[in-house]
Amino acid sequence: MTGSLRFLLVLTLVAGLFLVACGDDSDSQSDGDSDVIPDGDTDETPDGDTPDGDIEADPDEEARPEGLPETLAISYEREDVGDPVTTEEIQAFTRRVMGFLKKINYFDFVLYTTHGVDASTGQRDWQFWYNERFKKEGDLVTFYHPENLTDGGHNLHIPMSRVLGDVLAAHMLVDEDATIALAAEKLCKGMSASMLGMVKDENDTVHHLMTRNVIAMNHEFLTHDGKRKAVNYDGWRSPYDRWNCYRYAYPDNPFWDDVWVTSLRSKDDVPHVFRLIPNLRYAVDRSGNEAVQEACGEALELLEAFAKDIVDSDYHIRTKDENGEIYMPGFTDDPALNAEQGDLAALMMYRDLIPGAECSARQAAENIAYHQGGAEDCGRGEPNQYDQLSFQFNRYNKRICRYFHLAHIANALVNHENAAVEKLLDGLEERITLDQELPESQFQYDPDDWYRNLALYYTQAQSYGYPLTSAEVRSIHSYYLKAIEEYMEWPYWDPWAASVPEGELGAYHPPNCKTVDEERVCWWRSEDLGQIFENCWSPLTNPNSAQWVDCDIVRDPSQWDESVLDEATTR
């Protein structure tokens, strides 16, 4: 490639990214600190090959074990860095986290604050993780969506996927807990609803395309423990057109009659949904609860069809318009609209321009759709020129690229693609090291927000084969314990408690950052408080990792003791 041609190709890339990267990302939720996540969609791509949806035969397929792996089948080690964490420190940390989760009845909180449609309506029930407002009138608590004529809930699948993954892990660890099982069932149904909601009518046979969000009817009902709860969606019952999505009604939806849909699922949330898939596969295979198996089995089937649709559509994330017609955003007959939407819902736009661009995104989809990787070889999946340029033009692209890399590893592991995983773990180590060593002046985030997000990423990577260092463990402990310290003051874990006043109460998820002496201080988000369960459940953690949690305590509810919270919290 000549220098001038290379310049033109990179210029083309930069121009496309500039169009896509409109707005700020402000995290994964509107939880008091961060509102709606913007659509800064641009991720990683493969090494020049452009598969056409056909899967080549794998020469090692006959040698692969059947079923899901029981343990990590590869060995990957890192040199330890930092002061080793003692057994006593790990046990004290674990007892504090579990004591806090028990004190606030975390899984009740998940069921209280998620909503969708209750079974008492006579229609299919489901619950989803929204980030809106609530109010209290006597013994009635109403979760409502304030009027929002041009926005609302564009990237809810990010916190939803994380909560659901942790709830499923908790269910598989503590299967006798009925509240955890109910949360797993309801949230799996919510994940399905995010696709079934975009079915226009009984003649629409494509049930697996994903919305940004779905809302149904207003209604009042009793919670799982008998408390009066209402849901009011009026603020989102209005149409709008934006460059990156549309909201419209499907009055003849065959599942819930009159629903409102926000369409055009961008790729922001997709790596988080993809990382959830292994947890779903294990839960469907191993849960002893029939309701969980049925609900999560449907969600898994729809999500695998969603991934297959992406692969078979040459890595486009298709959507529907208000008439139920399917199309590819950014690839329509309208040049102006295409220029506006760019690669918003495409995982292939730059694959011929930059080697490796969005490769892990495509191969994660292949692994989910066909339970094996495709012909394209992502090598180590390490950050490439695409990652660097996309981050420069929209900071949120950093985490999109991070999570497609991790989703690729997780799904390759459960498909016994061990040779690929060994290389991908090596690339992940490079990715994490580069992020650890990046000068703060280049973060594009407040430093504590950056380090908090990295600490969460460490734990999620450890669930799928990545070994942690002692320094990384200490970072995890720091942000997890800071969350407990801050959330001890949050008064709304049980909105029906006598201590909660009547009236408008604001956001029902607690803030996760604050300003102290002109600096932002951050901690674990509320949707990540259950992360400890995933790391103790996962059969694919690395035995060579520095340990950060005592899983014997996590597996045994009799050891979850609130009294440890009286001890001083240090960071």
Side-chain angles (χ1 to χ4, degrees):
M1 176 184 300
T2 66
S4 58
L5 179 57
R6 181 178 181 81
F7 172 78
L8 289 174
L9 291 176
V10 172
L11 184 63
T12 301
L13 168 66
V14 169
L17 289 173
F18 182 77
L19 288 169
V20 170
C22 299
D24 181 36
D25 74 274
S26 68
D27 257 289
S28 64
Q29 56 182 37
S30 51
D31 58 6
D33 174 67
S34 50
D35 291 321
V36 180
I37 303 188
D39 297 279
D41 316 77
T42 23
D43 303 7
E44 321 166 75
T45 347
D47 299 300
D49 291 325
T50 55
D52 59 4
D54 295 330
I55 305 301
E56 293 187 2
D58 187 335
D60 297 325
E61 186 173 359
E62 292 184 4
R64 287 186 193 167
E66 294 184 1
L68 298 169
E70 301 292 341
T71 187
L72 186 66
I74 62 174
S75 177
Y76 187 84
E77 298 184 15
R78 299 171 66 203
E79 182 178 351
D80 195 22
V81 176
D83 295 331
V85 183
T86 66
T87 300
E88 290 74 21
E89 288 178 291
I90 293 171
Q91 289 178 342
F93 164 82
T94 306
R95 292 186 188 281
R96 192 161 187 82
V97 172
M98 301 313 296
F100 178 71
L101 295 178
K102 180 179 180 181
K103 177 180 176 66
I104 65 171
N105 294 311
Y106 180 68
F107 296 102
D108 286 307
F109 172 76
V110 169
L111 285 168
Y112 290 156
T113 56
T114 54
H115 53 270
V117 173
D118 189 69
S120 63
T121 63
Q123 301 195 37
R124 287 176 57 128
D125 60 304
W126 54 276
Q127 293 181 217
F128 204 88
W129 184 279
Y130 298 96
N131 293 297
E132 298 306 317
R133 300 291 183 265
F134 72 132
K135 59 185 177 182
K136 185 177 182 181
E137 302 166 277
D139 65 347
L140 175 66
V141 175
T142 300
F143 296 83
Y144 69 96
H145 294 224
E147 184 177 67
N148 197 327
L149 301 179
T150 61
D151 207 334
H154 288 179
N155 297 91
L156 294 169
H157 285 81
I158 297 175
M160 173 67 173
S161 297
R162 301 208 305 235
V163 171
L164 177 52
D166 294 340
V167 168
L168 291 172
H171 169 61
M172 287 183 279
L173 273 181
V174 192
D175 60 0
E176 69 275 13
D177 190 302
T179 303
I180 297 175
L182 183 63
E185 174 195 344
K186 297 289 188 179
L187 294 184
C188 277
K189 291 178 176 179
M191 187 61 75
S192 295
S194 74
M195 291 167 277
L196 297 176
M198 199 154 66
V199 177
K200 184 178 188 298
D201 54 36
E202 62 182 8
N203 298 315
D204 184 348
T205 60
V206 178
H207 292 185
H208 59 262
L209 296 184
M210 186 177 287
T211 63
R212 287 181 180 270
N213 64 69
V214 177
I215 59 167
M217 78 292 290
N218 298 342
H219 56 297
E220 180 184 330
F221 52 95
L222 296 179
T223 65
H224 63 287
D225 53 357
K227 299 171 181 176
R228 290 182 65 208
K229 175 179 176 179
V231 182
N232 187 313
Y233 298 107
D234 283 347
W236 287 13
R237 288 182 167 275
S238 60
Y240 66 71
D241 292 354
R242 284 178 41 148
W243 71 273
N244 62 346
C245 62
Y246 309 93
R247 188 163 70 197
Y248 46 78
Y250 275 169
D252 298 314
N253 176 272
F255 302 103
W256 299 284
D257 300 326
D258 185 14
V259 298
W260 282 80
V261 172
T262 305
S263 69
L264 211 159
R265 171 67 275 149
S266 68
K267 61 189 171 189
D268 301 60
D269 298 31
V270 173
H272 302 268
V273 175
F274 280 4
R275 199 189 74 87
L276 164 70
I277 298 297
N279 300 43
L280 275 171
R281 288 180 63 180
Y282 277 97
V284 171
D285 186 64
R286 301 185 180 183
S287 171
N289 184 300
E290 290 185 7
V292 171
Q293 283 189 313
E294 181 179 354
C296 297
E298 179 183 46
L300 178 61
E301 181 179 351
L302 288 167
L303 288 171
E304 289 184 337
F306 171 64
K308 186 176 185 296
D309 196 283
I310 292 172
V311 174
D312 294 350
S313 301
D314 193 26
Y315 309 104
H316 295 80
I317 304 168
R318 302 194 302 164
T319 192
K320 297 178 184 177
D321 63 18
E322 66 275 16
N323 298 313
E325 297 296 325
I326 298 173
Y327 69 98
M328 296 179 180
F331 296 83
T332 69
D333 295 331
D334 184 340
L337 180 62
N338 293 342
E340 207 172 27
Q341 293 181 340
D343 72 332
L344 181 72
L347 306 177
M348 37 51 70
M349 185 173 286
Y350 305 110
R351 65 185 169 193
D352 294 330
L353 300 179
I354 297 179
E358 295 185 289
C359 184
S360 280
R362 292 192 292 276
Q363 286 305 298
E366 294 269 7
N367 271 278
I368 294 166
Y370 292 100
H371 290 193
Q372 66 178 46
E376 190 172 25
D377 182 4
C378 296
R380 296 170 60 248
E382 75 278 10
N384 53 47
Q385 189 180 34
Y386 173 83
D387 296 56
Q388 297 161 6
L389 285 171
S390 65
F391 176 51
Q392 289 174 20
F393 282 91
N394 189 325
R395 66 179 188 168
Y396 192 67
N397 291 320
K398 168 69 70 173
R399 279 187 281 174
I400 294 178
C401 292
R402 279 181 186 167
Y403 278 95
F404 270 127
H405 191 159
L406 189 51
H408 185 186
I409 290 172
N411 285 284
L413 268 177
V414 295
N415 291 334
H416 305 281
E417 300 263 356
N418 296 318
V421 170
E422 287 191 68
K423 292 186 290 184
L424 290 166
L425 286 173
D426 189 56
L428 182 62
E429 181 173 358
E430 179 181 343
R431 180 181 295 278
I432 287 176
T433 300
L434 288 171
D435 285 347
Q436 290 171 336
E437 296 177 349
L438 190 70
E440 290 187 357
S441 61
Q442 298 179 29
F443 282 1
Q444 301 188 58
Y445 289 87
D446 292 312
D448 217 34
D449 189 13
W450 176 274
Y451 294 125
R452 179 264 307 271
N453 292 336
L454 263 182
L456 177 66
Y457 194 63
Y458 301 154
T459 65
Q460 294 165 328
Q462 196 231 0
S463 293
Y464 290 99
Y466 191 69
L468 303 179
T469 67
S470 295
E472 290 161 353
V473 168
R474 291 198 177 278
S475 180
I476 293 166
H477 282 191
S478 173
Y479 286 102
Y480 224 139
L481 292 176
K482 178 62 175 174
I484 293 173
E485 176 187 334
E486 295 293 333
Y487 291 154
M488 286 287 286
E489 306 301 320
W490 178 252
Y492 303 139
W493 297 108
D494 178 358
W496 289 267
S499 58
V500 175
E502 293 195 31
E504 297 281 348
L505 298 171
Y508 50 78
H509 292 140
N512 56 69
C513 290
K514 66 181 180 181
T515 300
V516 178
D517 297 330
E518 299 184 355
E519 290 188 5
R520 296 293 281 169
V521 177
C522 300
W523 49 90
W524 234 239
R525 299 176 181 87
S526 59
E527 66 260 34
D528 299 316
L529 285 173
Q531 179 63 42
I532 198 168
F533 289 100
E534 182 181 78
N535 294 86
C536 285
W537 155 76
S538 174
L540 301 173
T541 56
N542 194 320
N544 298 314
S545 177
Q547 299 304 304
W548 65 276
V549 55
D550 186 330
C551 291
D552 289 338
I553 296 173
V554 177
R555 293 188 187 97
D556 182 3
S558 70
Q559 297 191 59
W560 305 354
D561 184 1
E562 299 176 43
S563 67
V564 301
L565 298 173
D566 296 332
E567 302 170 10
T569 299
T570 59
R571 186 181 178 187

